[in-house]
Amino acid sequence: MSINGSSYFCCCFFCTVYACYAAPCLSQEYASIDELEQATLAYRAKTANSGKAVIATTTDRLGVVESSKFHVVSDGAKMRVTQLVKFESESDYRVVDNAATDEISFYEEVGIYGQKSDTKGYFHRRRLVELEEDVRDRLQLFHLRDIGQSTAEVRLYRIYSMTEMIGRGDVKTQSWSKRRDTSGVIYTVINELMNGVTYTIDIAANKGPSIIHAKGFSSNGAGLYESEITVELALVDGLWFPSKLVVEHLRNGEQRLKQVANISVLSLGKVDSTEFSWAGIDPPVGTELRDASRGSIEYTIWDGNKAVDRSLFFAPVTRSRGLRVVLLTALVLAIVAFACYTYAKRNSN
């Protein structure tokens, strides 16, 4: 059977189109390192601007094993992270819940932070710019888009953001190369920073583009430090997002930390605004709420549904206790009266 030129062209065109739909198309090209890095950042910012995820981590720090669960909610500039921590010697998780929002109050960012506890919980609401540095450092806040963008462990994403390795303005030297494998085009970027840290980053062009591996090197008087992350990606509603991270830190070749993080994405898209309110945090009943977002501190109590004035929360308890005292007193007086009556009647006979 013979095939003419026109038929052959149509057949090849159809096969090419089918291949791009049936498998990742391998034709993505970038003209410069900056274009590649900006495309990587733009893809993550677009896909993970809002959504919810749960990160389950197991961390080994020199033999001390800790398990954590991070419930991450992000919506634009709003962030909320609930962290549950359990050490190897503990039977259950402890809860730390932090939230920050971009709500506008006198044109200042306002945030909620605090601690859940069955016995002594509390939450503050204050302008974030007024927080003491040590308080800001304790807040385990990070954004959904930061996940897998740094060689840091998850709890330190509050310091190391999605621009930790790429898209920086303090790069001393750069180089890059390109290769192809069964999954598509892989770019390798080497960024030497002004602070002496060098990052080697692998970016999968046909998966976003997205970072799939990175390694950092730095050295000082104490020796050579290495940090490495391997990222597994999965499709979530047609978008590439990390499903597993493996992070390792070494000093002079000795492993100091290894963390494995499994990520379950609950949604990518708009989240309910109540996630960033008192109700979203859902403090235990009786938790003290301290609101200093408008200057003076307003103290309220969480009654299970809403923040109420302290007097309203405790008043029913006071009235109930007072009623019990009155009834008990009346009962005692009745018993005494009956005893006196019985005694008097017996003597009269």
Side-chain angles (χ1 to χ4, degrees):
M1 181 178 67
S2 62
I3 302 177
N4 61 35
S6 176
S7 298
Y8 179 78
F9 173 79
C10 291
C11 179
C12 288
F13 177 77
F14 172 79
C15 290
T16 301
V17 172
Y18 174 80
C20 282
Y21 276 94
C25 198
L26 309 181
S27 60
Q28 182 64 62
E29 302 286 343
Y30 294 93
S32 66
I33 298 176
D34 183 64
E35 183 183 342
L36 170 63
E37 291 188 343
Q38 293 305 318
T40 304
L41 293 174
Y43 182 79
R44 175 55 67 84
K46 178 184 72 174
T47 58
N49 184 57
S50 61
K52 301 168 67 174
V54 177
I55 310 173
T57 66
T58 301
T59 308
D60 185 335
R61 295 185 181 85
L62 296 175
V64 178
V65 179
E66 168 197 313
S67 297
S68 290
K69 292 179 183 178
F70 297 85
H71 294 254
V72 185
V73 184
S74 303
D75 187 17
K78 299 180 182 180
M79 298 173 288
R80 178 181 169 196
V81 177
T82 303
Q83 182 185 3
L84 296 91
V85 182
K86 179 169 73 70
F87 287 92
E88 211 170 19
S89 58
E90 297 176 324
S91 59
D92 208 351
Y93 288 92
R94 292 178 285 109
V95 184
V96 179
D97 196 324
N98 301 293
T101 83
D102 66 348
E103 291 181 67
I104 302 300
S105 176
F106 305 109
Y107 302 98
E108 306 225 45
E109 287 184 323
V110 173
I112 298 171
Y113 68 97
Q115 186 174 33
K116 277 187 176 179
S117 170
D118 291 335
T119 57
K120 200 172 65 174
Y122 67 90
F123 281 94
H124 294 273
R125 180 180 172 88
R126 289 176 60 187
R127 287 189 286 271
L128 295 182
V129 294
E130 294 179 351
L131 294 184
E132 297 82 1
E133 186 175 350
D134 64 323
V135 174
R136 287 198 301 269
D137 286 345
R138 288 201 305 270
L139 299 183
Q140 307 288 352
L141 286 171
F142 57 89
H143 202 283
L144 198 66
R145 56 178 173 251
D146 296 330
I147 299 173
Q149 295 289 110
S150 166
T151 59
E153 57 181 298
V154 172
R155 71 182 182 88
L156 295 181
Y157 282 168
R158 71 184 193 276
I159 301 173
Y160 301 97
S161 68
M162 64 183 297
T163 58
E164 172 62 21
M165 300 183 294
I166 61 176
R168 297 178 59 121
D170 59 344
V171 177
K172 184 178 179 181
T173 62
Q174 281 185 313
S175 62
W176 66 332
S177 59
K178 181 178 67 174
R179 69 182 188 276
R180 292 178 184 268
D181 64 14
T182 55
S183 66
V185 178
I186 307 296
Y187 286 92
T188 299
V189 176
I190 301 176
N191 285 334
E192 181 186 358
L193 308 181
M194 296 291 189
N195 61 12
V197 179
T198 298
Y199 286 109
T200 301
I201 309 116
D202 291 330
I203 299 173
N206 63 309
K207 294 183 177 180
S210 300
I211 294 174
I212 57 172
H213 178 263
K215 196 167 187 177
F217 303 86
S218 64
S219 60
N220 56 28
L224 176 65
Y225 291 84
E226 301 171 70
S227 58
E228 183 174 13
I229 184 170
T230 302
V231 183
E232 293 183 15
L233 299 168
L235 283 171
V236 180
D237 298 330
L239 303 171
W240 291 104
F241 196 80
S243 60
K244 183 178 180 179
L245 313 174
V246 179
V247 173
E248 292 186 84
H249 293 174
L250 291 84
R251 186 173 71 185
N252 294 327
E254 178 187 1
Q255 187 179 86
R256 312 288 290 181
L257 175 143
K258 182 174 182 179
Q259 182 176 81
V260 178
N262 291 290
I263 301 151
S264 301
V265 178
L266 305 180
S267 66
L268 289 177
K270 187 72 174 178
V271 299
D272 195 315
S273 61
T274 59
E275 291 279 1
F276 306 98
S277 66
W278 295 125
I281 291 175
D282 190 24
V285 174
T287 298
E288 183 177 76
L289 309 177
R290 310 166 190 173
D291 192 339
S293 61
R294 291 172 175 80
S296 59
I297 301 179
E298 177 186 351
Y299 293 90
T300 55
I301 301 292
W302 184 251
D303 71 353
N305 296 302
K306 61 186 182 300
V308 299
D309 187 84
R310 293 168 62 91
S311 60
L312 294 177
F313 180 82
F314 289 110
V317 177
T318 303
R319 285 197 297 269
S320 176
R321 187 175 300 159
L323 181 60
R324 287 199 300 270
V325 171
V326 170
L327 291 175
L328 182 60
T329 302
L331 178 60
V332 170
L333 290 175
I335 293 172
V336 171
F338 179 76
C340 290
Y341 170 77
T342 303
Y343 178 79
K345 187 175 182 180
R346 183 181 301 168
N347 289 340
S348 67
N349 293 331

